Amino acid sequence: ELKVVDALRSAFAGLADGRAAQPPQSWGVVGDEVDVIWYPGILGDQKLFGAKLSPYFPSQKTGPKVAAWTALFSMETGEPTLLCDSHALTTERTAATTALALQLLIPAGAKRLAVIGVGAVGMAHLRYAAAVHDWSQISLFSRKIGESKSVDRGVAPGLRKKIKIAASAEAAVADRSEEHTSELQSHH
C-alpha cells in the first residue's frame, strides 16, 4: 500500500509542476448502442501515457452494462505496457488517495478511524489507512456487516484487535465506545 501512496504523491506533484498532465475527460455516443467516457493521462517521469476507457451499454440484456479498462503505453516506443480492469484499479487508487490525504491532513496524535461500508472499497480504505497511520481504535459500520465476508477476509490479523463494530454510522464517528456493538472477532 505504501508504494501505491508514494506513486500517487509523485503523480499529484507532477500535475502541480507540469511533469504530468490530466487532460479533460471526453465522451462519445453512438446511437442507443453505446456511449464511452475516456479519461486520459500522461506521466512524464515514468514516460507513460494512457487512458481509462469506460463504455456503457444501455441496451445490453445480460451481463454488466458498464465496463472499464485502463491502458498504458510507453512514451518512448508507443507500445502497450499495461491493460487492466479499471474496477479493481479504481478501488485501490481511491483508497490510496484517501491514505495520502490522511498523511497530509490528520493531526499527528489522531487515534480513531471510522470506516463506513465494508465492501471492496471500504476494506481497501481500511487497508490503506492502516498502512499510513497507527490507529488505536477503528470503528466499522455497514448496514449489512453481518452478511459481509469481506470483513473477515480483508482484515490483517494484527489489526483485528483494534477494530470495533459500530451500531450505526453515527456511532462509528462518535467519540463514545459504548455505542459499539461488538468486537470484530465475533463476526466470523
Side-chain angles (χ1 to χ4, degrees):
E1 283 84 11
L2 292 176
K3 286 183 179 183
V4 177
V5 174
D6 288 343
L8 280 173
R9 181 188 306 273
S10 175
F12 286 130
L15 284 172
D17 66 19
R19 293 175 292 118
Q22 186 177 13
Q25 74 181 34
S26 190
W27 61 278
V29 177
V30 177
D32 291 336
E33 297 301 312
V34 66
D35 69 60
V36 180
I37 299 173
W38 54 92
Y39 309 85
I42 303 165
L43 297 169
D45 288 347
Q46 291 81 10
K47 305 246 184 276
L48 295 169
F49 68 93
K52 176 180 176 179
L53 308 167
S54 186
Y56 169 63
F57 306 100
S59 60
Q60 186 149 315
K61 302 289 186 231
T62 61
K65 289 189 180 276
V66 177
W69 294 92
T70 296
L72 293 179
F73 301 87
S74 166
M75 284 175 35
E76 297 172 325
T77 66
E79 292 182 8
T81 61
L82 172 80
L83 175 65
C84 73
D85 179 328
S86 293
H87 295 290
L89 180 63
T90 299
T91 295
E92 297 298 310
R93 188 250 333 153
T94 301
T97 301
T98 298
L100 177 58
L102 288 171
Q103 282 183 327
L104 298 171
L105 299 173
I106 63 169
K111 301 280 186 219
R112 298 180 61 250
L113 172 69
V115 177
I116 311 299
V118 294
V121 175
M123 297 311 292
H125 275 78
L126 175 61
R127 280 189 294 107
Y128 279 89
V132 299
H133 189 76
D134 184 22
W135 306 98
S136 60
Q137 181 183 339
I138 300 169
S139 298
L140 296 181
F141 173 74
S142 171
R143 290 185 309 262
K144 298 180 179 182
I145 200 161
E147 302 168 22
S148 178
K149 296 195 183 330
S150 64
V151 175
D152 288 332
R153 287 191 315 259
V155 177
L159 201 55
R160 288 180 175 274
K161 64 182 181 250
K162 297 179 180 186
I163 294 176
K164 305 254 187 232
I165 305 304
S168 67
E170 293 80 11
V173 299
D175 196 11
R176 298 183 304 274
S177 62
E178 67 273 5
E179 294 185 34
H180 291 80
T181 59
S182 63
E183 304 287 324
L184 178 61
Q185 289 82 347
S186 66
H187 285 272
H188 291 291

